[in-house]
Amino acid sequence: LAWLELFGSKLGRGPVPRVQDLVNEKRAAPWFLLYFAAVAVGTVAGLLGYQSMWRAAVALCMLTTVLLGVEYWRAYRGKYAATAPARPASFSPPLPEGKRPS
């Protein structure tokens, strides 16, 4: 959604970055791993009745949610997107019949 809002209106008018260029995957990957690990630990702790472990897992989920929110905000603000994306290979539109160069 961030890409559509930032660059959707620029399609066809010049180069635009890829969606992958809006995020730094290496920076966000640890937060995703911690989040899913905390969800798994919290689920097991909740099922087994370990209240203190469940609370710690929920706290870790909240922390990683905030950290992932920061990454989403950076992507939305275009922090990682190149200010001048590389131009794609040159493209010439097709010419109408009868106007082809010989």
Side-chain angles (χ1 to χ4, degrees):
L1 291 175
W3 186 91
L4 282 175
E5 186 169 335
L6 294 172
F7 303 105
S9 63
K10 297 178 183 178
L11 281 175
R13 297 183 183 157
V16 294
R18 300 174 309 148
V19 174
Q20 293 86 351
D21 295 336
L22 294 182
V23 296
N24 184 341
E25 293 176 17
K26 287 183 181 180
R27 183 180 167 118
W31 308 139
F32 278 109
L33 290 174
L34 275 175
Y35 176 80
F36 291 121
V39 169
V41 168
T43 301
V44 171
L47 291 172
L48 297 177
Y50 296 125
Q51 194 174 38
S52 59
M53 187 183 297
W54 182 82
R55 287 181 181 177
V58 169
L60 186 57
C61 279
M62 289 174 49
L63 174 66
T64 54
T65 299
V66 169
L67 293 170
L68 286 168
V70 169
E71 290 302 313
Y72 289 136
W73 179 78
R74 288 177 181 217
Y76 180 76
R77 300 296 295 170
K79 175 157 175 44
Y80 301 121
T83 53
R87 286 199 152 275
S90 68
F91 171 76
S92 56
L95 297 173
E97 290 297 323
K99 299 213 177 197
R100 301 224 183 253
S102 21

